[in-house]
């Protein structure tokens, strides 16, 4: 049986993209998490508990399935104990040796997949953190210098009585930042 598993992420909050991919593969059953949090993944636990020998879990990408490389290893171990398989469409990984979709992979390839997977997890967590920060009214990026220090640095520079080192020491404004403000 092909079992589709979906979890919301920043690029697919309603799981529509994942659902389209899994529908194209004609999954027999679907499990969808209501949230993207790694905690309380009730549908994942339910799905793992209901697995039968020969079942294949299908995911759009590995980071939908697992939260870290360690978590992925734990889940793959659980699948192996139940004689079930994983097919990750995005990475083209299929652990079922008799399957015609996807392909079997060597240890060397699996290391590359794990590195890409970890990169996806970090990227997803970064996007989520930036989104949450924006919701709280925070602005991403480097903090801006205080306006009064910039004004003081410009006045000091224009007076021609101070060196750039003295201006930086007094105001905390670097030469590059000072020139950028002077251009504007």
């Amino acid at each position: 049986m092909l079992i589709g598993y979906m979890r919301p992420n920043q690029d697919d909050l309603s799981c529509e993209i994942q659902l389209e991919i899994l529908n194209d593969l004609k999954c027999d059953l679907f499990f969808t998490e209501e949230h993207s949090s790694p905690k309380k993944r009730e549908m994942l636990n339910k799905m793992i508990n209901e697995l039968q020998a020969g079942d294949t879990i299908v995911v759009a990408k590995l980071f939908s399935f697992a939260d870290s490389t360690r978590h992925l290893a734990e889940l793959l171990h659980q699948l192996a104990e139940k004689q079930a398989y994983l097919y990750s469409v995005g990475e083209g990984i299929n652990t079922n040796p008799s399957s015609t979709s996807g392909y079997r992979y060597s240890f060397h390839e699996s290391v590359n997949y794990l590195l890409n997977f970890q990169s996806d997890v970090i990227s997803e967590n970064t996007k989520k953190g930036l989104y949450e920060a924006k919701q709280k009214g925070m602005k991403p990026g480097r903090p801006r210098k205080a306006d009064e220090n910039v004004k003081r640095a410009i006045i000091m520079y224009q007076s021609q009585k101070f060196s750039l080192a003295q201006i930086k020491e007094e105001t905390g404004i670097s030469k590059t930042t000072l020139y950028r403000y002077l251009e504007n």
Side-chain angles (χ1 to χ4, degrees):
M1 177 184 297
L2 288 181
I3 302 169
Y5 177 77
M6 297 172 283
R7 180 170 67 141
N9 61 60
Q10 286 306 119
D11 294 329
D12 189 16
L13 290 172
S14 60
C15 298
E16 290 173 11
I17 297 168
Q18 296 172 71
L19 181 60
E20 185 177 325
I21 292 167
L22 301 181
N23 272 333
D24 287 346
L25 295 169
K26 305 203 181 335
C27 290
D28 304 301
L29 184 62
F30 294 93
F31 288 87
T32 306
E33 296 292 348
E34 293 181 15
H35 54 79
S36 62
S37 172
K39 297 179 179 164
K40 296 183 182 176
R41 302 235 337 243
E42 295 163 4
M43 298 311 286
L44 176 65
N45 294 333
K46 182 177 182 195
M47 177 180 65
I48 297 287
N49 288 335
E50 293 179 11
L51 279 176
Q52 301 295 317
D55 286 349
T56 299
I57 295 173
V58 183
V59 294
K61 289 202 83 165
L62 281 177
F63 74 82
S64 298
F65 185 57
D67 301 309
S68 66
T69 307
R70 180 176 305 230
H71 187 223
L72 179 62
E74 291 170 4
L75 291 170
L76 289 173
H77 180 74
Q78 290 176 358
L79 293 180
E81 284 181 338
K82 293 193 169 247
Q83 297 176 344
Y85 308 102
L86 174 68
Y87 175 30
S88 177
V89 178
E91 292 80 8
I93 296 174
N94 194 336
T95 62
N96 186 340
S98 63
S99 176
T100 58
S101 60
Y103 62 92
R104 297 288 293 157
Y105 55 98
S106 68
F107 177 75
H108 177 71
E109 288 175 316
S110 65
V111 170
N112 287 331
Y113 287 128
L114 290 175
L115 291 173
N116 289 336
F117 164 70
Q118 194 63 33
S119 175
D120 284 346
V121 168
I122 291 168
S123 174
E124 180 62 24
N125 289 339
T126 300
K127 287 177 189 175
K128 186 176 179 182
L130 285 170
Y131 176 78
E132 289 173 359
K134 284 180 184 178
Q135 296 302 318
K136 293 177 184 174
M138 299 171 74
K139 293 183 179 177
R142 188 174 181 167
R144 300 201 39 89
K145 297 283 185 184
D147 286 342
E148 55 274 356
N149 280 347
V150 172
K151 289 177 185 174
R152 205 166 94 222
I154 291 172
I155 291 169
M156 290 173 74
Y157 178 81
Q158 290 174 338
S159 74
Q160 297 181 346
K161 295 179 182 177
F162 301 92
S163 69
L164 291 173
Q166 290 171 321
I167 294 172
K168 181 178 181 180
E169 188 176 313
E170 285 286 320
T171 64
I173 305 297
S174 71
K175 175 178 76 169
T176 306
T177 302
L178 177 61
Y179 286 149
R180 187 173 345 116
Y181 278 101
L182 287 170
E183 286 175 5
N184 296 333

